[in-house]
Amino acid sequence: MGLFRRRRKLPIIGVKNAGKTYFLVSLGYLVSEYRWGEPTADTATYFYDCLREVIAGRPIPATAPGMREIEITLNKVLAGDKEIKTNLLLTTKEFSGAEYERAMEMLTRVEEESFTSAPELKKFYEMFSGSHGCIVIIDLVRDAKITPDEFKKHRDEYIRKAFAEQISPLAKGVELFLRGRRIWSAPLFFVFTKSDVHNLSREEIRRYLNKIMAMSLARLEQKNVWIRIHSVSSVGWGGQKSKNAVLNRLESFGFKRLLLEIGVLGALCGGSRIW
Protein backbone atom coordinates (compact mmCIF):
# COMPACT_ATOMS: atom_id res chain seq x y z
CA MET A 1 0.00 0.00 0.00
CA GLY A 2 1.50 3.35 -1.04
CA LEU A 3 2.19 6.27 1.26
CA PHE A 4 -0.85 8.18 0.04
CA ARG A 5 -3.16 5.32 0.95
CA ARG A 6 -1.82 4.86 4.47
CA ARG A 7 -4.36 5.99 7.06
CA ARG A 8 -3.37 9.29 8.62
CA LYS A 9 -4.04 10.24 12.22
CA LEU A 10 -5.74 13.41 13.44
CA PRO A 11 -5.82 13.54 17.27
CA ILE A 12 -8.66 15.28 19.12
CA ILE A 13 -7.56 16.95 22.37
CA GLY A 14 -9.06 19.33 24.91
CA VAL A 15 -9.55 20.06 28.59
CA LYS A 16 -11.94 18.16 30.86
CA ASN A 17 -15.66 18.75 30.30
CA ALA A 18 -15.06 20.70 27.09
CA GLY A 19 -17.87 18.80 25.36
CA LYS A 20 -15.66 16.33 23.47
CA THR A 21 -18.12 13.42 23.81
CA TYR A 22 -21.11 15.42 22.51
CA PHE A 23 -18.87 16.78 19.75
CA LEU A 24 -17.70 13.31 18.73
CA VAL A 25 -21.14 11.71 18.86
CA SER A 26 -22.41 14.50 16.60
CA LEU A 27 -19.46 14.11 14.25
CA GLY A 28 -19.78 10.31 14.22
CA TYR A 29 -23.50 10.52 13.44
CA LEU A 30 -22.91 12.80 10.44
CA VAL A 31 -19.98 10.78 9.11
CA SER A 32 -22.04 7.59 9.28
CA GLU A 33 -25.19 9.04 7.73
CA TYR A 34 -23.25 10.72 4.91
CA ARG A 35 -21.45 7.38 4.29
CA TRP A 36 -18.15 9.26 4.50
CA GLY A 37 -16.76 6.89 7.15
CA GLU A 38 -17.77 5.35 10.47
CA PRO A 39 -16.84 4.96 14.12
CA THR A 40 -14.57 1.99 14.80
CA ALA A 41 -16.25 -1.11 16.28
CA ASP A 42 -15.53 -0.32 19.96
CA THR A 43 -16.52 3.29 19.49
CA ALA A 44 -19.75 2.35 17.70
CA THR A 45 -20.89 0.26 20.68
CA TYR A 46 -20.39 3.24 22.98
CA PHE A 47 -22.03 5.65 20.50
CA TYR A 48 -25.19 3.53 20.33
CA ASP A 49 -25.70 4.09 24.05
CA CYS A 50 -24.93 7.82 23.74
CA LEU A 51 -27.24 8.27 20.74
CA ARG A 52 -30.14 6.72 22.60
CA GLU A 53 -29.82 9.45 25.24
CA VAL A 54 -29.24 12.31 22.79
CA ILE A 55 -32.14 11.42 20.49
CA ALA A 56 -34.42 11.13 23.52
CA GLY A 57 -33.31 14.62 24.60
CA ARG A 58 -31.47 13.39 27.69
CA PRO A 59 -27.86 14.30 28.63
CA ILE A 60 -25.06 11.84 27.89
CA PRO A 61 -23.78 10.27 31.15
CA ALA A 62 -20.45 11.72 32.29
CA THR A 63 -17.43 9.94 30.84
CA ALA A 64 -15.01 8.59 33.45
CA PRO A 65 -11.54 10.12 32.95
CA GLY A 66 -9.43 8.05 30.58
CA MET A 67 -12.07 5.33 30.24
CA ARG A 68 -13.31 6.06 26.70
CA GLU A 69 -11.00 6.12 23.71
CA ILE A 70 -13.00 7.19 20.67
CA GLU A 71 -11.98 6.70 17.04
CA ILE A 72 -13.81 7.70 13.84
CA THR A 73 -12.62 6.94 10.33
CA LEU A 74 -13.14 9.59 7.66
CA ASN A 75 -12.60 7.98 4.26
CA LYS A 76 -13.92 10.74 2.02
CA VAL A 77 -15.90 13.96 1.85
CA LEU A 78 -18.13 15.35 -0.88
CA ALA A 79 -17.50 18.98 -1.80
CA GLY A 80 -20.41 19.72 -4.14
CA ASP A 81 -20.27 16.88 -6.65
CA LYS A 82 -16.55 16.29 -6.14
CA GLU A 83 -15.44 13.30 -4.05
CA ILE A 84 -12.22 13.84 -2.07
CA LYS A 85 -10.58 10.75 -0.57
CA THR A 86 -9.13 11.42 2.87
CA ASN A 87 -8.28 8.16 4.71
CA LEU A 88 -8.13 9.88 8.11
CA LEU A 89 -8.50 8.51 11.64
CA LEU A 90 -9.92 10.98 14.17
CA THR A 91 -8.88 9.74 17.60
CA THR A 92 -8.93 10.69 21.30
CA LYS A 93 -6.40 8.00 22.25
CA GLU A 94 -3.54 10.46 22.68
CA PHE A 95 -4.73 12.36 25.78
CA SER A 96 -7.44 12.22 28.40
CA GLY A 97 -8.85 15.60 29.39
CA ALA A 98 -7.03 15.48 32.74
CA GLU A 99 -3.68 14.61 31.12
CA TYR A 100 -4.12 17.38 28.60
CA GLU A 101 -4.87 19.94 31.33
CA ARG A 102 -1.69 18.93 33.17
CA ALA A 103 0.33 19.20 29.94
CA MET A 104 -1.04 22.70 29.28
CA GLU A 105 -0.24 23.80 32.84
CA MET A 106 3.34 22.47 32.50
CA LEU A 107 3.82 24.23 29.19
CA THR A 108 3.19 27.62 30.81
CA ARG A 109 6.57 27.31 32.58
CA VAL A 110 8.66 24.72 30.72
CA GLU A 111 11.78 25.63 28.74
CA GLU A 112 13.00 23.95 25.56
CA GLU A 113 15.74 21.89 27.23
CA SER A 114 13.22 20.20 29.55
CA PHE A 115 10.40 19.91 27.01
CA THR A 116 10.04 16.11 27.29
CA SER A 117 11.01 15.73 30.95
CA ALA A 118 7.48 15.06 32.24
CA PRO A 119 5.35 12.11 31.00
CA GLU A 120 2.57 14.42 29.79
CA LEU A 121 5.00 16.55 27.77
CA LYS A 122 6.64 13.46 26.32
CA LYS A 123 3.17 12.32 25.19
CA PHE A 124 2.56 15.76 23.69
CA TYR A 125 5.82 15.48 21.74
CA GLU A 126 5.03 11.94 20.56
CA MET A 127 1.49 12.91 19.57
CA PHE A 128 2.70 15.59 17.17
CA SER A 129 5.53 13.39 15.92
CA GLY A 130 3.07 10.80 14.64
CA SER A 131 0.13 12.95 13.54
CA HIS A 132 -1.04 14.79 10.44
CA GLY A 133 -2.69 17.72 12.15
CA CYS A 134 -4.73 18.15 15.32
CA ILE A 135 -8.27 19.07 16.40
CA VAL A 136 -8.23 21.13 19.59
CA ILE A 137 -11.54 21.48 21.43
CA ILE A 138 -11.64 24.90 23.11
CA ASP A 139 -14.11 25.51 25.94
CA LEU A 140 -14.99 29.16 26.57
CA VAL A 141 -17.69 28.08 29.06
CA ARG A 142 -15.93 26.02 31.73
CA ASP A 143 -18.75 26.40 34.28
CA ALA A 144 -21.87 24.46 33.24
CA LYS A 145 -24.04 26.93 35.20
CA ILE A 146 -23.10 29.91 33.00
CA THR A 147 -26.08 31.18 31.00
CA PRO A 148 -25.82 32.99 27.64
CA ASP A 149 -26.67 36.27 29.41
CA GLU A 150 -24.01 35.70 32.06
CA PHE A 151 -21.41 34.87 29.42
CA LYS A 152 -22.29 37.97 27.41
CA LYS A 153 -21.95 40.16 30.50
CA HIS A 154 -18.39 38.94 31.21
CA ARG A 155 -17.43 37.80 27.70
CA ASP A 156 -13.95 39.36 27.52
CA GLU A 157 -13.01 37.87 30.89
CA TYR A 158 -14.10 34.34 29.91
CA ILE A 159 -12.40 34.53 26.52
CA ARG A 160 -9.09 35.81 27.87
CA LYS A 161 -9.03 33.14 30.57
CA ALA A 162 -9.73 30.36 28.06
CA PHE A 163 -7.07 31.65 25.66
CA ALA A 164 -4.51 31.88 28.48
CA GLU A 165 -5.20 28.34 29.73
CA GLN A 166 -5.98 26.46 26.51
CA ILE A 167 -4.44 28.20 23.49
CA SER A 168 -1.34 30.09 24.65
CA PRO A 169 0.41 27.02 26.20
CA LEU A 170 -0.56 24.86 23.22
CA ALA A 171 0.95 27.38 20.79
CA LYS A 172 4.11 27.45 22.91
CA GLY A 173 4.32 23.64 22.95
CA VAL A 174 3.90 23.35 19.17
CA GLU A 175 6.56 26.01 18.59
CA LEU A 176 9.00 24.27 20.96
CA PHE A 177 8.38 21.03 19.12
CA LEU A 178 9.02 22.66 15.74
CA ARG A 179 12.35 24.24 16.56
CA GLY A 180 15.13 22.85 14.42
CA ARG A 181 12.82 20.51 12.50
CA ARG A 182 11.88 20.28 8.86
CA ILE A 183 8.22 21.22 8.38
CA TRP A 184 5.40 19.83 6.26
CA SER A 185 2.26 21.96 6.00
CA ALA A 186 -0.56 20.67 8.22
CA PRO A 187 -3.78 21.91 9.87
CA LEU A 188 -4.40 22.87 13.48
CA PHE A 189 -8.17 23.09 14.00
CA PHE A 190 -9.42 25.21 16.92
CA VAL A 191 -13.02 24.05 17.48
CA PHE A 192 -15.01 26.20 19.91
CA THR A 193 -17.84 24.11 21.33
CA LYS A 194 -20.95 25.27 23.25
CA SER A 195 -21.84 28.00 20.77
CA ASP A 196 -25.39 27.77 22.14
CA VAL A 197 -24.00 29.52 25.25
CA HIS A 198 -21.23 31.81 24.00
CA ASN A 199 -23.09 32.72 20.75
CA LEU A 200 -19.87 33.64 18.94
CA SER A 201 -19.48 32.98 15.23
CA ARG A 202 -16.18 31.77 13.81
CA GLU A 203 -15.61 35.30 12.43
CA GLU A 204 -16.08 36.85 15.89
CA ILE A 205 -13.76 34.27 17.46
CA ARG A 206 -11.17 34.95 14.77
CA ARG A 207 -11.27 38.66 15.64
CA TYR A 208 -10.61 37.86 19.31
CA LEU A 209 -7.75 35.54 18.36
CA ASN A 210 -6.24 38.15 16.07
CA LYS A 211 -6.45 40.74 18.84
CA ILE A 212 -5.21 38.62 21.76
CA MET A 213 -3.13 35.80 20.25
CA ALA A 214 -1.86 37.44 17.06
CA MET A 215 1.87 37.02 17.76
CA SER A 216 1.67 33.36 18.83
CA LEU A 217 -0.52 32.29 15.92
CA ALA A 218 1.50 34.29 13.39
CA ARG A 219 4.67 32.49 14.49
CA LEU A 220 3.00 29.13 13.90
CA GLU A 221 1.64 30.18 10.52
CA GLN A 222 5.15 31.27 9.50
CA LYS A 223 6.16 27.63 10.10
CA ASN A 224 3.41 26.44 7.72
CA VAL A 225 0.94 25.43 10.44
CA TRP A 226 -2.55 26.03 9.01
CA ILE A 227 -4.71 27.64 11.73
CA ARG A 228 -8.41 26.91 11.18
CA ILE A 229 -11.27 28.14 13.38
CA HIS A 230 -14.74 26.62 13.85
CA SER A 231 -17.65 27.29 16.19
CA VAL A 232 -20.09 24.44 16.85
CA SER A 233 -22.88 23.39 19.19
CA SER A 234 -23.51 19.72 19.90
CA VAL A 235 -26.57 19.90 22.14
CA GLY A 236 -30.23 20.22 21.31
CA TRP A 237 -30.41 17.97 18.27
CA GLY A 238 -32.44 15.22 19.92
CA GLY A 239 -36.16 14.86 19.45
CA GLN A 240 -36.13 15.50 15.70
CA LYS A 241 -38.87 13.79 13.71
CA SER A 242 -36.73 12.44 10.87
CA LYS A 243 -33.17 11.60 9.91
CA ASN A 244 -33.11 14.58 7.53
CA ALA A 245 -34.19 16.87 10.36
CA VAL A 246 -31.31 15.61 12.53
CA LEU A 247 -28.81 16.07 9.69
CA ASN A 248 -30.09 19.56 8.91
CA ARG A 249 -29.89 20.48 12.58
CA LEU A 250 -26.28 19.29 12.92
CA GLU A 251 -25.30 20.97 9.66
CA SER A 252 -26.69 24.24 11.01
CA PHE A 253 -24.55 23.75 14.13
CA GLY A 254 -21.37 23.91 12.02
CA PHE A 255 -20.43 20.23 11.73
CA LYS A 256 -20.66 19.80 7.97
CA ARG A 257 -18.43 22.81 7.32
CA LEU A 258 -15.89 21.41 9.79
CA LEU A 259 -15.94 17.92 8.25
CA LEU A 260 -15.45 19.32 4.75
CA GLU A 261 -12.45 21.35 5.84
CA ILE A 262 -10.95 18.42 7.75
CA GLY A 263 -11.31 16.27 4.65
CA VAL A 264 -9.96 18.81 2.16
CA LEU A 265 -6.96 19.84 4.27
CA GLY A 266 -6.34 16.23 5.31
CA ALA A 267 -6.14 15.22 1.67
CA LEU A 268 -3.69 18.05 0.98
CA CYS A 269 -1.33 16.64 3.62
CA GLY A 270 -0.69 13.68 1.31
CA GLY A 271 1.08 10.74 2.86
CA SER A 272 3.63 12.75 4.87
CA ARG A 273 3.60 13.20 8.61
CA ILE A 274 2.62 16.57 9.98
CA TRP A 275 6.15 17.72 10.70
Side-chain angles (χ1 to χ4, degrees):
M1 182 176 291
L3 279 177
F4 184 76
R5 294 182 178 277
R6 187 170 56 197
R7 191 173 296 283
R8 301 185 296 282
K9 184 168 62 175
L10 199 62
I12 299 171
I13 55 179
V15 296
K16 291 184 295 184
N17 302 317
K20 290 190 293 294
T21 301
Y22 273 105
F23 168 78
L24 285 160
V25 169
S26 301
L27 210 63
Y29 185 91
L30 275 186
V31 166
S32 299
E33 293 298 334
Y34 289 158
R35 305 295 190 266
W36 290 356
E38 61 184 357
T40 58
D42 289 344
T43 297
T45 301
Y46 174 56
F47 275 5
Y48 289 139
D49 294 336
C50 292
L51 280 170
R52 182 173 61 248
E53 303 302 317
V54 172
I55 292 172
R58 297 188 294 264
I60 296 176
T63 304
M67 294 300 291
R68 294 291 180 186
E69 295 178 338
I70 296 172
E71 292 187 323
I72 299 171
T73 63
L74 183 63
N75 301 321
K76 65 180 182 181
V77 295
L78 294 178
D81 59 356
K82 183 177 181 181
E83 180 178 296
I84 300 171
K85 296 191 180 300
T86 60
N87 205 20
L88 290 171
L89 180 67
L90 314 182
T91 176
T92 66
K93 284 193 172 184
E94 307 301 325
F95 272 101
S96 69
E99 285 178 320
Y100 182 72
E101 282 189 18
R102 289 195 297 271
M104 292 301 97
E105 196 278 327
M106 290 173 186
L107 282 168
T108 61
R109 59 180 188 273
V110 73
E111 299 300 329
E112 184 174 8
E113 57 270 18
S114 58
F115 182 44
T116 60
S117 58
E120 290 85 355
L121 297 186
K122 185 177 180 181
K123 284 187 71 172
F124 184 90
Y125 179 99
E126 291 172 347
M127 177 184 73
F128 279 99
S129 295
S131 302
H132 298 83
C134 193
I135 298 174
V136 189
I137 306 299
I138 306 295
D139 185 4
L140 299 177
V141 191
R142 300 302 306 279
D143 186 346
K145 297 179 182 178
I146 295 175
T147 64
D149 286 343
E150 171 70 13
F151 183 88
K152 184 177 181 180
K153 189 184 302 182
H154 302 285
R155 180 167 56 192
D156 283 6
E157 178 186 341
Y158 289 128
I159 289 173
R160 289 180 181 276
K161 188 173 190 294
F163 284 11
E165 294 177 349
Q166 299 174 54
I167 297 181
S168 182
L170 174 74
K172 177 183 178 181
V174 173
E175 186 170 351
L176 285 175
F177 178 79
L178 286 173
R179 286 184 182 175
R181 292 176 173 83
R182 184 182 176 190
I183 304 170
W184 281 265
S185 297
L188 187 61
F189 295 94
F190 289 124
V191 179
F192 291 79
T193 52
K194 306 179 183 178
S195 66
D196 54 311
V197 178
H198 62 67
N199 286 314
L200 294 170
S201 68
R202 63 192 304 206
E203 290 76 19
E204 290 172 308
I205 291 169
R206 183 179 288 109
R207 286 198 290 272
Y208 273 100
L209 280 168
N210 288 338
K211 181 170 66 174
I212 300 170
M213 299 294 303
M215 184 178 72
S216 297
L217 298 184
R219 289 176 66 86
L220 293 182
E221 288 177 331
Q222 287 169 6
K223 297 176 183 293
N224 288 348
V225 180
W226 308 335
I227 306 297
R228 314 306 298 175
I229 299 162
H230 287 268
S231 180
V232 301
S233 175
S234 304
V235 298
W237 56 276
Q240 305 300 313
K241 293 182 179 180
S242 69
K243 181 173 70 176
N244 284 340
V246 172
L247 292 175
N248 291 338
R249 184 86 166 163
L250 288 173
E251 288 173 5
S252 73
F253 286 166
F255 284 95
K256 186 173 185 179
R257 174 184 287 181
L258 172 61
L259 274 174
L260 284 171
E261 194 163 84
I262 288 172
V264 171
L265 294 185
L268 287 176
C269 286
S272 304
R273 287 191 174 183
I274 177 172
W275 318 114

